Amino acid sequence: SKFFHSGVALDEKVKHGMPPRLRPENVLISEIMKRTGYATGAITTHEYFNDWGMEQGFDSYDNSIGEKFDPFRITSGVLTDRALAWISRNHSRKWFLWAHYLDPHGRYVAHVDSPSYGTTEEDLYDGELAYTDQQIGRLRCYVGAAQELPVVRRGVVRLVGMVGFVLDLVPSDLRRARIVEAMVQLVEEVVVLAPRARRDDRLAQRRRHLGHP
């Protein structure tokens, strides 16, 4: 959430197990984008976002997917459907969309239409990555196929995420090393696809931290 706010004012008086609530005096990136004329939207997938204070500055804020606790819920497919629908509705304006992909964040489940790597926890995690990659790929293809259209020329999609969890894996596990490399490349591709976006040197720094040139 640090990507979205200054982090200077938090309300600790929340229900047990919930994160500190952002106070209104925080300035969120969504507020900044809205002030400059962007349509702003958020589609989230976790119960934390019911009352996290992150709706500030969003014209539409939808956490209906993650409203109720369900650790086995599969969200990436319906999230992408809603993201594409949101973009379609706002194609005539400049727009800023936050889409919150959660499936690789346990509990891990198998996906019928995605590659299967086995039945262990690590294998299921790999499957979650593959499934989420497919769904982000749908969004990427939609944006990439319309690069010359107003739907992309007037909008920005920024996808930010963790590379992965530590699952007691050793460096010699080449399969998972390749998955990490693919995820880093995916993040780079999505950021560069943003209209009029310029490559950020910080991305190269993060790649070096992960052992990539």
Side-chain angles (χ1 to χ4, degrees), residues 67-82:
E67 184 176 6
K68 297 181 179 180
F69 175 72
D70 181 358
F72 295 98
R73 181 189 295 115
I74 299 172
T75 62
S76 295
V78 65
L79 172 58
T80 296
D81 290 342
R82 294 190 185 186

Side-chain angles (χ1 to χ4, degrees), residues 10 27 33 35 39 41-42 48 57 78 122 131 138 158 169 192 210:
L10 298 174
V27 178
M33 300 298 284
R35 291 172 190 167
Y48 281 179
V78 65
E122 292 89 346
Y131 172 70
R138 290 175 54 209
R158 182 73 182 235
L169 304 178
V192 171
L210 291 169

Side-chain angles (χ1 to χ4, degrees), residues 4-6 9 21-35 40-42 52-61 96 98:
F4 287 94
H5 69 90
S6 56
R21 184 183 301 108
L22 295 177
R23 292 183 177 176
E25 53 264 43
N26 288 287
V27 178
L28 276 63
I29 190 172
S30 49
E31 295 176 281
I32 296 172
M33 300 298 284
K34 186 172 182 176
R35 291 172 190 167
T40 54
W52 205 344
M54 297 193 68
E55 66 276 7
Q56 297 170 209
F58 285 110
D59 298 319
S60 62
Y61 184 88
F96 175 85
W98 172 28

Side-chain angles (χ1 to χ4, degrees), residues 79-98:
L79 172 58
T80 296
D81 290 342
R82 294 190 185 186
L84 298 182
W86 189 95
I87 294 171
S88 179
R89 291 194 302 270
N90 290 277
H91 69 84
S92 62
R93 299 178 56 189
K94 298 185 299 181
W95 48 265
F96 175 85
L97 174 65
W98 172 28

Side-chain angles (χ1 to χ4, degrees), residues 55-177:
E55 66 276 7
Q56 297 170 209
F58 285 110
D59 298 319
S60 62
Y61 184 88
D62 179 7
N63 189 46
S64 58
I65 298 173
E67 184 176 6
K68 297 181 179 180
F69 175 72
D70 181 358
F72 295 98
R73 181 189 295 115
I74 299 172
T75 62
S76 295
V78 65
L79 172 58
T80 296
D81 290 342
R82 294 190 185 186
L84 298 182
W86 189 95
I87 294 171
S88 179
R89 291 194 302 270
N90 290 277
H91 69 84
S92 62
R93 299 178 56 189
K94 298 185 299 181
W95 48 265
F96 175 85
L97 174 65
W98 172 28
H100 180 252
Y101 286 87
L102 184 68
D103 283 329
H105 192 297
R107 301 288 301 272
Y108 311 131
V109 299
H111 298 275
V112 176
D113 297 327
S114 296
S116 174
Y117 300 101
T119 58
T120 68
E121 192 78 352
E122 292 89 346
D123 294 331
L124 291 173
Y125 177 60
D126 290 351
E128 293 281 23
L129 295 182
Y131 172 70
T132 303
D133 177 62
Q134 289 177 346
Q135 297 305 319
I136 293 176
R138 290 175 54 209
L139 181 59
R140 178 190 181 282
C141 288
Y142 181 81
V143 173
Q147 287 183 359
E148 301 304 320
L149 299 179
V151 67
V152 171
R153 194 166 61 246
R154 300 186 182 188
V156 172
V157 176
R158 182 73 182 235
L159 301 181
V160 179
M162 297 181 295
V163 170
F165 291 100
V166 176
L167 294 170
D168 297 325
L169 304 178
V170 296
S172 60
D173 192 325
L174 297 180
R175 185 182 75 189
R176 292 174 178 82

Side-chain angles (χ1 to χ4, degrees), residues 34-52:
K34 186 172 182 176
R35 291 172 190 167
T36 57
Y38 282 82
T40 54
I43 308 170
T44 56
T45 55
H46 194 280
E47 61 174 332
Y48 281 179
F49 298 108
N50 289 334
D51 188 29
W52 205 344

